[in-house]
Structure formats: structure tokens, C-alpha cells
Amino acid sequence: SSGINAEYGDCFFVMIYRSLTLLFALTALAAAKDVTIVVIEKLNAGRKGAPYDGKVLVKDMADDAVLLEVMMEAQHTLDFSFDYTSHKSWGAFITTINGITAESSQNEYWQILGGPKRRPTQFGASSYIPTDGEEILFRLVKWDREPCEDPTEEYSGTFVFEVCN
């Protein structure tokens, strides 16, 4: 009789263990996010939309993953590569995407646009946290150009300076 109770007890604990394992797996899956990275390589293209020079979908990232982590994961594909320098106070500064280097001596940099209206992000790649389904745009720009509005976007009452031709 005690052998039967012990057998049922072991079975009970195995069922509990399997249930918790499944629950943790489902929780991790629910907290995952997908982020798309798109790239416009032409200097001062002034646009936010297609055609893109590069596009990669990164699936199942942790919900709290910053953009730099998403970019590192994207490098596992053949469709995306990047390089950066690190600054102690400011974090990562993206220097090269898909073999195209932003020449700092020419005042060039890789602008990061995100959010539903694809605005310049308030944070850099090591601090910005993309949301599930977000499409992040990198475009090569010069910072000494005149600001302008995106001609493809209607005026919303908020003026945001962006770099264009």
C-alpha cells in the first residue's frame, strides 16, 4: 500500500513539474517580440518609406530587449551587419550598417527612426526599447543639412526637424 502511495506521489510531482515547465515556456513565448529593421543607405534620402536597401525581421526577442540586442541578433542573418563604437556615458554609436560607414569627418551618422510615425528616437541603440511589431529605420544622414518636413507625411501640429536634401 505504501509503495502505491509513493508511486502516485512521484507521479503527482512529475505532473506539477511538467505543468510549471509548460507555464514558464508559455510565459516566455508571450513576452517575446518581433522587430523589423529596415535600412536606407543613400545619404540624405529624406524619405522614410520603401524602397529599402535592407530589411530583416528579428523574431522572438525578449520584451525588454534594447535595439542594440535586436541588431546583434539580426547579424545572424545574411541580410544585416553593423559595427559601433561605445562611449562610456552615451552608449553605442552606430558607425557602419551593411558595409556602409557613416563618415564622422563628413558629419554623417546613422539616424534611428522608430515608433508608429517613424520619428527620430529619443534614445540611442543601447537604450531604445522597440515594441512588438515595430519597424525601425536606419538612414544615413548629414547633421549640417537644413531641417525639413517629410513630404510624404501630413502636418500633425507638431513640427519635428529631420534631415533631408
Side-chain angles (χ1 to χ4, degrees):
S1 171
S2 66
I4 292 175
N5 285 341
E7 186 177 311
Y8 285 126
D10 289 344
C11 184
F12 175 74
F13 285 112
V14 168
M15 286 178 20
I16 293 295
Y17 174 77
R18 287 183 180 165
S19 297
L20 288 174
T21 301
L22 179 62
L23 179 63
F24 287 128
L26 290 174
T27 302
L29 186 60
K33 66 182 173 188
D34 299 341
V35 179
T36 301
I37 296 174
V38 294
V39 179
I40 297 176
E41 296 171 354
K42 182 181 178 211
L43 182 62
N44 292 327
R47 61 182 166 84
K48 298 178 187 178
Y52 301 116
D53 299 302
K55 183 173 185 172
V56 62
L57 172 63
V58 182
K59 295 176 132 308
D60 301 325
M61 292 298 299
D63 194 45
D64 62 349
V66 295
L67 180 56
L68 188 62
E69 294 169 314
V70 174
M71 295 170 72
M72 288 178 178
E73 187 64 27
Q75 285 195 124
H76 292 115
T77 72
L78 297 176
D79 300 324
F80 185 78
S81 65
F82 79 102
D83 200 5
Y84 68 98
T85 58
S86 269
H87 186 276
K88 187 171 74 172
S89 299
W90 301 103
F93 181 77
I94 307 303
T95 57
T96 305
I97 294 181
N98 295 340
I100 307 293
T101 299
E103 299 294 338
S104 59
S105 64
Q106 300 295 314
N107 297 339
E108 298 173 0
Y109 72 102
W110 283 102
Q111 185 180 44
I112 305 170
L113 294 97
K117 292 190 175 189
R118 273 215 189 129
R119 298 281 189 203
T121 60
Q122 297 292 323
F123 302 100
S126 50
S127 301
Y128 184 73
I129 301 175
T131 59
D132 183 37
E134 187 170 353
E135 193 170 88
I136 302 294
L137 170 62
F138 285 92
R139 66 180 181 185
L140 188 60
V141 297
K142 281 188 120 173
W143 68 72
D144 64 344
R145 304 289 293 196
E146 289 297 316
C148 71
E149 294 181 67
D150 184 345
T152 62
E153 190 172 297
E154 291 183 25
Y155 180 69
S156 65
T158 304
F159 187 74
V160 175
F161 287 101
E162 296 185 12
V163 178
C164 69
N165 305 3

